[in-house]
Amino acid sequence: MKSLEINELRTKIKSLAERNRLATTDEERAAVAAEMSTLRSENEQAFTEALEALIKTTADDVQELHGRHIKNN
């Protein structure tokens, strides 16, 4: 999978996750879930790779913030 495709998928997944966090109704959340499902079904392997990359990036960011917090206290 090309890194450009993975980056595009990561951006789309992040956008959908943000929309889901901001959703205030079940209908909004259902619409986001449907879009996420469609995105996943288009290329499940690429979707999984992009999602795993996002999870790793988030974990790295949390670890870095945690390290900063420890240094500051």
Side-chain angles (χ1 to χ4, degrees):
M1 181 61 39
K2 296 178 186 174
S3 63
L4 179 59
E5 292 177 57
I6 296 296
N7 286 336
E8 289 173 4
L9 274 171
R10 286 175 62 174
T11 300
K12 289 178 183 179
I13 292 169
K14 284 175 67 173
S15 175
L16 286 169
E18 178 68 15
R19 282 181 46 206
N20 192 56
R21 281 190 297 276
L22 297 174
T24 57
T25 67
D26 289 341
E27 290 81 11
E28 290 172 321
R29 283 186 278 284
V32 170
E35 287 183 54
M36 192 75 79
S37 181
T38 298
L39 193 61
R40 180 176 49 241
S41 67
E42 289 173 359
N43 187 335
E44 193 162 342
Q45 180 178 350
F47 180 89
T48 300
E49 288 177 28
L51 189 56
E52 288 173 347
L54 277 171
I55 292 167
K56 182 179 180 336
T57 299
T58 301
D60 291 346
D61 290 347
V62 168
Q63 188 66 32
E64 181 181 333
L65 288 172
H66 181 69
R68 287 184 194 169
H69 176 74
I70 290 173
K71 286 180 183 177
N72 290 333
N73 288 328

